[in-house]
């Protein structure tokens, strides 16, 4: 793709698809693919270790704890070694973890394996987002949304093929195939990932300490409040259509599908939109669309109306999180890895922790009120939207 890029440096900085961009996109694809491939394995994992629903809930929480513990650690390592080194080595360590999860035989070894899996997914996440910020700076254009689109695409590929492959070639063969494909993606990316220098001065100035500036925490709230609805749709969307809107099993599967599809499409378009209208304007329009989407889900009279709401919410939420991540990586006087580790940790805790709380509340209120109520979180994002201006500093 990059053979058409002009050879002189000044115009190649505006080239649309460079080697470095291909490298970081492959990392996002691989990370999403690993998570996507894990989802259809969960029922088999639970039956092999004879886990009850609540025990499986604790296992999934262990995955989340691994992520939340290793994300800030990755932030401090990026300051010491640079994002390219940390993303490469975490990806190598991540590759065999699916095999571990397939071959563990006891609850305790299962817990250790899932903790490592969650931790390395999270650490790699912070590092590849920091690398995407560096690529944005070097190219002087937005690429974060399309990186997240590759992540969504990887998840879609992993989850849509997983069940079929497990059924037809077996659990172990599926895990080996996924591992080999993930390794191929890493080998393809290895030489072309943008090599950024470490930031030893930032490491000395407390790379591992929590930042005192309120900015990363406020941007973290934006990411958190967008990812809570995302987690809610992932875990409760199908159930809402099935139980409260009397949808068929097939139709209820369209809740997350409609959301993922519009989200992936809009993420591929998101960078062009952001380069054209600026991060603040893009974020405000996206927030308004997702508020409408969530209200439509909550007040839907029938399944098609709710599915339209899920699709709208996907359009809205699609580019808020990438813009928040870009802003976090470009905060004045702060190492990209440090700002990003705060925002990614806060954001992902929304996907990991909120859905279980939602389940608890929904027993008393029903899910319709919850989906409508989640729109209030996006109103807060709208109020904080001027902070997105930091995302544009990558280009100037």
């Amino acid at each position: 793709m990059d053979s058409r890029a002009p050879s002189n440096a000044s115009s190649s900085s505006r080239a649309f698809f460079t080697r470095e961009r291909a490298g970081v996109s492959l990392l996002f694809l691989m990370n999403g693919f690993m998570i996507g491939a894990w989802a259809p394995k969960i029922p088999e994992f639970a039956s092999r270790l004879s886990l009850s629903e609540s025990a499986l809930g604790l296992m999934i929480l262990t995955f989340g704890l691994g992520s939340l513990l290793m994300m800030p650690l990755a932030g401090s390592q990026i300051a010491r070694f640079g994002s390219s080194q940390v993303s490469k080595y975490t990806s190598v360590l991540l590759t065999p973890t699916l095999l571990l999860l397939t071959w563990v035989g006891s609850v305790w070894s299962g817990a250790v394996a899932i903790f490592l899996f969650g931790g390395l997914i999270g650490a790699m996440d912070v590092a590849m987002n920091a690398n995407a910020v560096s690529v944005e700076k070097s190219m002087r254009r937005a690429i974060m949304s399309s990186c997240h689109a590759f992540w969504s695409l990887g998840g879609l590929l992993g989850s849509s093929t997983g069940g079929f492959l497990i059924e037809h070639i077996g659990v172990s063969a599926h895990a080996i195939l996924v591992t080999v494909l993930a390794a191929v993606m890493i080998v393809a990316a290895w030489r072309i990932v943008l090599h950024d220098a470490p930031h030893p001065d930032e490491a000395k100035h407390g790379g591992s300490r929590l930042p005192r500036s309120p900015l990363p925490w406020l941007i973290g709230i934006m990411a958190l409040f967008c990812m809570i609805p995302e987690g809610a749709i992932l875990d409760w969307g199908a159930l809402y259509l099935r139980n409260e809107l009397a949808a068929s099993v097939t139709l209820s599967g369209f809740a997350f599908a409609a959301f993922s599809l519009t989200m992936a499409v809009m993420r591929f378009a998101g960078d062009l939109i952001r380069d054209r209208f600026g991060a603040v304007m893009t974020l405000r329009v996206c927030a308004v669309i997702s508020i409408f989407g969530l209200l439509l889900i909550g007040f839907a009279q029938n399944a098609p109306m709710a599915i339209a709401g899920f699709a709208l919410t996907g359009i809205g939420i699609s580019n808020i999180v990438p813009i928040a991540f870009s802003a976090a990586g470009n905060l004045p006087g702060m190492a990209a890895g440090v700002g990003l580790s705060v925002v990614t940790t806060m954001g992902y805790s929304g996907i990991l922790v909120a859905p279980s709380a939602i389940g608890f509340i929904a027993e008393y209120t029903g899910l319709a009120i919850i989906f409508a109520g989640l729109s209030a979180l996006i109103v807060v994002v709208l109020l904080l939207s001027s902070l997105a201006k930091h995302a544009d500093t990558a280009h100037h």
Side-chain angles (χ1 to χ4, degrees):
M1 253 180 178
D2 103 78
S3 58
R4 291 173 299 153
S7 53
N8 56 337
S10 64
S11 52
S12 70
S13 74
R14 299 295 292 174
F16 185 66
F17 208 89
T18 60
R19 291 179 53 182
E20 292 80 8
R21 183 174 183 175
V24 74
S25 299
L26 273 166
L27 293 177
F28 274 85
L29 184 72
M30 178 264 184
N31 187 286
F33 180 65
M34 290 290 281
I35 288 193
W38 160 240
K41 291 176 72 64
I42 293 175
E44 187 278 330
F45 176 78
S47 69
R48 175 164 26 102
L49 303 182
S50 45
L51 302 171
S52 64
E53 278 189 359
S54 55
L56 180 61
L58 284 175
M59 278 288 189
I60 290 170
L61 197 63
T62 308
F63 172 94
L65 287 175
S67 284
L68 297 181
L69 284 170
M70 280 163 85
M71 278 174 167
L73 195 66
S76 61
Q77 296 310 304
I78 292 163
R80 284 180 61 185
F81 301 110
S83 68
S84 59
Q85 296 300 91
V86 179
S87 47
K88 282 177 183 178
Y89 292 113
T90 48
S91 69
V92 170
L93 292 171
L94 172 62
T95 307
T97 49
L98 214 56
L99 293 172
L100 282 179
L101 286 164
T102 308
W103 294 333
V104 287
S106 72
V107 172
W108 289 110
S109 56
V112 171
I114 204 166
F115 179 84
L116 285 173
F117 182 61
L120 289 162
I121 287 269
M124 183 182 169
D125 210 303
V126 176
M128 68 194 188
N129 274 294
N131 194 261
V133 169
S134 298
V135 176
E136 281 194 328
K137 285 178 179 164
S138 75
M139 288 178 68
R140 300 219 261 298
R141 61 157 71 235
I143 69 152
M144 187 64 88
S145 292
S146 72
C147 284
H148 283 249
F150 276 107
W151 188 86
S152 304
L153 186 67
L156 211 57
L157 287 172
S159 58
S160 59
T161 57
F164 176 82
L165 288 168
I166 288 169
E167 207 174 2
H168 287 82
I169 63 174
V171 182
S172 283
H174 167 252
I176 292 166
L177 182 64
V178 168
T179 304
V180 170
L181 287 173
V184 169
M185 290 181 217
I186 295 171
V187 170
W190 198 266
R191 301 284 298 278
I192 55 175
V193 172
L194 176 75
H195 184 74
D196 56 339
H199 315 271
D201 50 324
E202 286 160 351
K204 278 207 294 284
H205 296 146
S208 52
R209 277 213 312 271
L210 292 174
R212 290 201 188 95
S213 155
L215 284 178
W217 303 100
L218 288 170
I219 293 172
I221 289 173
M222 285 167 70
L224 172 67
F225 282 5
C226 284
M227 287 168 105
I228 288 175
E230 191 177 331
I233 292 168
L234 173 68
D235 289 320
W236 297 103
L239 213 70
Y240 168 60
L241 287 182
R242 188 92 193 84
N243 295 353
E244 295 182 28
L245 296 176
S248 68
V249 175
T250 309
L251 199 58
S252 57
F254 286 130
F256 189 61
F259 175 80
S260 318
L261 185 68
T262 54
M263 179 179 250
V265 170
M266 285 307 292
R267 281 182 166 174
F268 277 116
D271 300 315
L272 296 171
I273 297 170
R274 195 175 121 194
D275 278 336
R276 174 85 176 71
F277 298 105
V280 176
M281 187 64 185
T282 305
L283 188 130
R284 284 177 180 160
V285 173
C286 282
V288 170
I289 293 171
S290 36
I291 290 166
F292 274 113
L294 286 162
L295 290 172
L296 186 58
I297 297 168
F299 292 106
Q301 299 302 305
N302 51 40
M305 199 169 152
I307 290 168
F310 286 119
L312 265 183
T313 309
I315 292 172
I317 288 178
S318 62
N319 291 309
I320 301 181
V321 172
I323 288 173
F325 282 7
S326 271
N330 287 299
L331 290 175
M334 189 175 297
V338 175
L340 263 167
S341 63
V342 169
V343 173
T344 40
T345 305
M346 286 179 72
Y348 284 102
S349 65
I351 283 188
L352 299 165
V353 181
S356 52
I358 288 172
F360 183 71
I361 301 165
E363 281 187 30
Y364 299 96
T365 62
L367 287 162
I369 293 174
I370 288 176
F371 278 117
L374 288 173
S375 62
L377 299 181
I378 311 288
V379 174
V380 176
V381 173
L382 200 52
L383 296 175
L384 293 169
S385 61
S386 59
L387 293 172
K389 66 175 188 279
H390 295 291
D392 286 336
T393 51
H395 314 178
H396 304 311

